[in-house]
Amino acid sequence: MTPLALNPSAFLSELYISFWIPTAVLTAALVIKLPTIIRLWRDPLLRAVGGLLLLACAVFVFCTPSTIAWVNRLTGVPNISAPWCYSLITAFCGSCLLLIITWRNGLSDRSAATRRAMRWVISVYSGVIVALWVLFLLADAPEERLRDLDTHYATTPFMREEILLYLVAHAVACLITSRLIWNWVRTEGLDAWLRWGLKLLGAGYVLNLIFDAVKLIAVVARWFGQDLDWLSTNLAPPVAALSAILIAVGFILPHAGQYLHDRWRVRLAHRELRPLYQLMRTASGEGVPFVLRATPELRLTRRETFIRDVLLPLARHIDTCLGRRAYDAALGLGHPPERARALAAAVSILDAIETRARTPEPPEPADGPDTTNLLQEIGAVSRALRRPDDIAAVRARAAVPAESVAVHD
């Protein structure tokens, strides 16, 4: 058996996760959310998300050993980083509870019970922060400890109470938050991205509870003269780092997932319109001018507008009788009604282009065919154009002349 397997402390020391990794992920989550938070600053839910992410970033920045040493040197007070880090962790706990209260009850629920719960959280956790600083001022902790302060001073008067206070406050907040999140995950009708984001948040807060548990075990062991410091110094930090990463990704996923999903839908819609767009470009002799900085939404809008602009003058050439025959023919070939309508529309458009090529200047009828549905279903028509064999079969059964226009895919 290897030495690492025999020594849990040595094994866990190999599982080091830099605190700057969760800091980077949390910062990314904050940057993604920041534009929406600034734009909708009056939204209490967004303010709660922004505050939580900002505090989470601060926790990992100031709990890094190098930053702890820098703060101690800057102030000239050994271990002053302890109450400062504990205060940040406690404020983070309060932000978690405020977020869940706001998130669960919704923006429309500003009842007295909701406001009372929020005031209770703010007052209790503010009181805990004040108590942390008072206890530190009363304690005697002259020896600077960068990594093992919790266990080193676990039996020191007032420091003992301070350490226990922050761990209990953190555990209570994470327990309540985790329970509410997992109850929410089981709610019907949630968006898939939101559900996965909540699952990651729930897992992150469960890991926070593990962090509190191993810290408390190590501290209590010191009270009874036992040495389980490796739980606090080697196991708790990677658990906290992994927890922060899951929480950050949990916040990012619903926003980024929906954003990417929307981008994909826009690009897919743009690509699906390509056959009809190329047919209309062939019919009109021109296309949409290229714009280098056009967004995907703008390119889609410009393509849709171009297709409709070319279809409108073609309307006078559309043979409605042919459209009905083509629809019946498509149904007869076994196509479902929606697909049959798209194929019939494609046949009508191809016939209209041929007709206009033979008679470029026909007299405009007083009451032309109704093209409302055609203009609304350009996506389905364009998809139908990708199957020229189906169109040819429908045209043949509808007794359409053999001449056809080349369809570009």
Side-chain angles (χ1 to χ4, degrees):
M1 189 173 292
T2 64
L4 285 179
L6 294 172
N7 188 345
S9 177
F11 172 73
L12 289 170
S13 65
E14 299 296 319
L15 300 180
Y16 172 74
I17 300 177
S18 172
F19 275 15
W20 295 112
I21 295 176
T23 302
V25 179
L26 288 163
T27 302
L30 181 60
V31 169
I32 290 173
K33 289 284 187 182
L34 192 59
T36 305
I37 294 171
I38 294 174
R39 187 172 66 253
L40 303 174
W41 178 249
R42 294 183 180 275
D43 187 332
L45 176 59
L46 288 173
R47 290 203 304 270
V49 170
L52 186 145
L53 291 175
L54 184 61
L55 284 169
C57 289
V59 166
F60 281 93
V61 169
F62 285 98
C63 290
T64 302
S66 59
T67 309
I68 290 174
W70 176 79
V71 172
N72 292 339
R73 288 196 303 271
L74 182 66
T75 59
V77 180
N79 297 315
I80 197 172
S81 285
W84 173 241
C85 291
Y86 295 163
S87 297
L88 289 174
I89 293 172
T90 304
F92 170 77
C93 296
S95 294
C96 293
L97 289 175
L98 289 175
L99 173 62
I100 293 301
I101 291 171
T102 306
W103 207 347
R104 182 190 62 179
N105 295 338
L107 300 180
S108 60
D109 185 357
R110 307 300 296 169
S111 64
T114 300
R115 292 194 296 270
R116 186 164 56 250
M118 297 180 73
R119 286 196 299 268
W120 181 86
V121 170
I122 293 172
S123 59
V124 168
Y125 279 85
S126 297
V128 170
I129 291 173
V130 172
L132 289 171
W133 284 96
V134 171
L135 289 169
F136 179 77
L137 293 175
L138 294 174
D140 182 21
E143 184 182 351
E144 182 182 60
R145 311 297 297 190
L146 300 181
R147 297 180 183 275
D148 62 346
L149 184 141
D150 291 348
T151 50
H152 184 79
Y153 288 109
T155 58
T156 302
F158 299 111
M159 282 299 293
R160 172 184 57 215
E161 287 77 10
E162 177 171 9
I163 294 165
L164 183 62
L165 179 61
Y166 102 83
L167 286 175
V168 170
H170 185 257
V172 169
C174 291
L175 182 63
I176 297 173
T177 304
S178 177
R179 179 182 176 184
L180 292 174
I181 286 176
W182 286 111
N183 286 341
W184 194 1
V185 168
R186 291 191 290 267
T187 303
E188 297 293 333
L190 288 182
D191 175 78
W193 294 108
L194 176 59
R195 188 181 300 277
W196 277 106
L198 288 173
K199 286 181 178 180
L200 290 173
L201 286 174
Y205 285 110
V206 168
L207 285 177
N208 264 325
L209 290 173
I210 296 174
F211 166 86
D212 293 322
V214 297
K215 281 277 188 181
L216 283 169
I217 291 171
V219 168
V220 172
R222 278 286 186 142
W223 296 351
F224 292 94
Q226 303 298 316
D227 184 357
L228 295 177
D229 291 6
W230 60 272
L231 290 173
S232 177
T233 56
N234 294 334
L235 178 58
V239 169
L242 183 58
S243 167
I245 292 172
L246 290 177
I247 289 173
V249 175
F251 280 114
I252 292 173
L253 189 62
H255 183 280
Q258 189 60 51
Y259 174 83
L260 293 175
H261 180 67
D262 291 342
R263 292 281 81 74
W264 171 251
R265 289 178 59 188
V266 169
R267 292 185 183 277
L268 182 61
H270 186 269
R271 181 176 179 274
E272 285 184 341
L273 288 178
R274 186 168 181 261
L276 184 56
Y277 166 71
Q278 290 192 329
L279 182 62
M280 295 299 98
R281 189 172 66 176
T282 301
S284 67
E286 58 183 14
V288 176
F290 176 74
V291 178
L292 181 62
R293 293 183 176 272
T295 63
E297 292 86 356
L298 180 58
R299 287 199 295 270
L300 176 61
T301 301
R302 287 163 62 87
R303 178 164 285 190
E304 290 175 340
T305 302
F306 174 80
I307 291 172
R308 290 188 172 95
D309 288 345
V310 177
L311 281 175
L312 282 173
L314 279 175
R316 72 185 71 173
H317 301 282
I318 288 179
D319 184 347
T320 55
C321 294
L322 172 63
R324 286 192 293 270
R325 292 198 310 272
Y327 176 72
D328 293 337
L331 291 176
L333 290 170
H335 295 288
E338 184 176 342
R339 173 72 173 170
R341 282 193 297 270
L343 288 169
V347 168
S348 298
I349 291 172
L350 290 168
D351 180 75
I353 293 173
E354 295 172 358
T355 302
R356 191 178 69 169
R358 292 192 298 268
T359 56
E361 297 288 342
E364 184 172 355
D367 186 16
D370 184 5
T371 59
T372 303
N373 291 334
L374 176 60
L375 294 175
Q376 290 176 345
E377 298 177 3
I378 58 175
V381 175
S382 187
R383 288 191 296 272
L385 288 170
R386 290 183 176 274
R387 302 295 298 270
D389 292 342
D390 290 346
I391 294 176
V394 171
R395 295 190 76 180
R397 181 166 289 205
V400 179
E403 295 84 0
S404 63
V405 175
V407 179
H408 300 273
D409 192 352

